[in-house]
Amino acid sequence: MKTITFIGNGNMALSIAQGLKKNYKIEVVGRSLDKLNKFENALGVSIEKALMKDYNMEDKTVMLCVKPANVEEISKILSGKAKVIYSVLAGTSVEKLRQNLKPAAVVRTMPNLAASVNRSMTTLTGDIEFQKEAEELLGAIGTTRWLSSEKEIDIATGLAGSGPAYLALMAEALADGAVKQGLKRDDAMAIMRGLFGGFGELIQDIHPALLKDGVMSPGGTTAAGYGALEDGNVRASCIDAVAKAYKKATEL
Ligand SMILES: NC(=O)c1ccc[n+]([C@@H]2O[C@H](COP(=O)([O-])OP(=O)(O)OC[C@H]3O[C@@H](n4cnc5c(N)ncnc54)[C@H](OP(=O)(O)O)[C@@H]3O)[C@@H](O)[C@H]2O)c1
């Protein structure tokens, strides 16, 4: 069984390890034995545990799951040339990872919040010879998409990385709208959840424009509601949201 070495024992490391534990041996490198033991308990299978200080990454397949601000610090205490580093660090360039950690290969990955329920939309880019392995490893927490440049992964961060927050705003606002018209809060929330659940399935196979046309009859209720969204510039605001998030990603 191949070993995957996690550096960092936080939420993202645990989500990915949950997806990989059946098919891989898990090794976790952290700052405290206590946290490594808690990680092992949460994972529910036995793992190799190691402390970060003086850890040697030589020829390891590493899943880097610390915070973006920790790269310089950990590169001073880790040694050895990893075979490949799969990094989940937001806004941290392949170049920065290469310069600091000096691995033989790097793949940058961008999971999203749904990793915790195994439904992440994860984008990937980096050394192309590791594309297949990256898709397999990150496929353990949901869907993957390989992109051909870091510019594209920064744009995709503004779509799938930040997307849960955009959709949460829509979800809350629509439920609030129903409450404003007199629906009980519990009912409004249950209906909103059902709406998003069903929509999540439909959008896999049907183009959004066709979904909209399918529900909008001439002069009907949807046309009236949809008109209010157009008046509120929702479409332009969504386009602008991705633009602003992308700009921010390039500034980090
Ligand atoms: N959560 C998400 O939805 C999401 C989505 C996309 C990308 N990411 C990326 O995933 C990465 C990890 O996020 P997370 O949610 O797993 O965070 P987390 O739960 O806070 O875990 C952070 C990890 O970094 C370690 N760490 C913190 N400071 C350190 C230092 N100075 N030296 C060495 N290790 C240090 C922590 O160690 P201790 O346990 O010892 O403190 C912990 O293992 C981030 O880079 C983030 O950009 C997260």
Side-chain angles (χ1 to χ4, degrees):
M1 225 185 216
K2 187 176 170 141
T3 300
I4 307 297
T5 300
F6 286 80
I7 295 184
N9 44 230
N11 295 319
M12 190 48 76
L14 186 60
S15 292
I16 299 173
Q18 290 286 13
L20 296 178
K21 67 184 180 187
K22 255 191 253 141
N23 299 324
Y24 296 87
K25 260 177 76 179
I26 307 291
E27 178 180 40
V28 186
V29 184
R31 294 192 291 181
S32 97
L33 208 50
D34 184 43
K35 286 195 177 164
L36 289 170
N37 286 332
K38 284 190 179 131
F39 187 101
E40 187 171 43
N41 282 340
L43 192 62
V45 298
S46 74
I47 59 170
E48 294 286 321
K49 288 167 271 187
L51 288 172
M52 230 176 249
K53 199 167 156 25
D54 299 329
Y55 181 80
N56 191 330
M57 299 183 285
E58 192 66 32
D59 214 31
K60 300 271 184 178
T61 297
V62 170
M63 193 66 70
L64 185 64
C65 298
V66 295
K67 294 284 188 185
N70 308 144
V71 174
E72 282 95 349
E73 191 183 334
I74 63 161
S75 64
K76 290 189 190 112
I77 54 176
L78 297 167
S79 64
K81 192 181 188 71
K83 181 179 177 190
V84 54
I85 290 182
Y86 296 103
S87 161
V88 303
L89 277 55
T92 307
S93 69
V94 166
E95 191 50 31
K96 181 171 180 183
L97 295 163
R98 268 196 225 291
Q99 274 178 5
N100 282 279
L101 294 155
K102 302 184 172 51
V106 178
V107 173
R108 194 177 147 190
T109 82
M110 187 62 212
N112 75 3
L113 192 64
S116 59
V117 290
N118 248 33
R119 297 291 303 273
S120 175
M121 178 63 240
T122 305
T123 45
L124 313 161
T125 198
D127 284 297
I128 191 82
E129 68 266 37
F130 286 91
Q131 176 179 353
K132 202 163 162 284
E133 187 176 74
E135 287 169 348
E136 187 182 319
L137 294 177
L138 278 303
I141 51 161
T143 305
T144 62
R145 186 90 181 173
W146 183 271
L147 302 173
S148 52
S149 70
E150 289 199 82
K151 175 181 174 174
E152 288 164 293
I153 211 169
D154 284 334
I155 297 170
T157 300
L159 177 59
S162 310
Y166 309 155
L167 297 183
L169 181 148
M170 287 293 288
E172 188 185 27
L174 292 172
D176 282 350
V179 172
K180 189 176 177 197
Q181 296 309 312
L183 207 58
K184 291 188 194 70
R185 173 61 66 183
D186 276 4
D187 291 334
M189 295 304 277
I191 293 164
M192 174 277 291
R193 290 190 180 106
L195 162 69
F196 272 74
F199 180 78
E201 300 278 319
L202 284 172
I203 198 72
Q204 299 307 317
D205 300 316
I206 306 174
H207 189 286
L210 294 179
L211 276 180
K212 181 258 295 169
D213 287 357
V215 73
M216 191 191 288
S217 46
T221 52
T222 304
Y226 196 87
L229 293 177
E230 293 286 26
D231 290 345
N233 277 331
V234 171
R235 176 190 292 269
S237 297
C238 288
I239 291 168
D240 199 31
V242 177
K244 293 262 166 49
Y246 167 50
K247 183 166 179 287
K248 191 75 185 175
T250 61
E251 290 166 358
L252 287 173

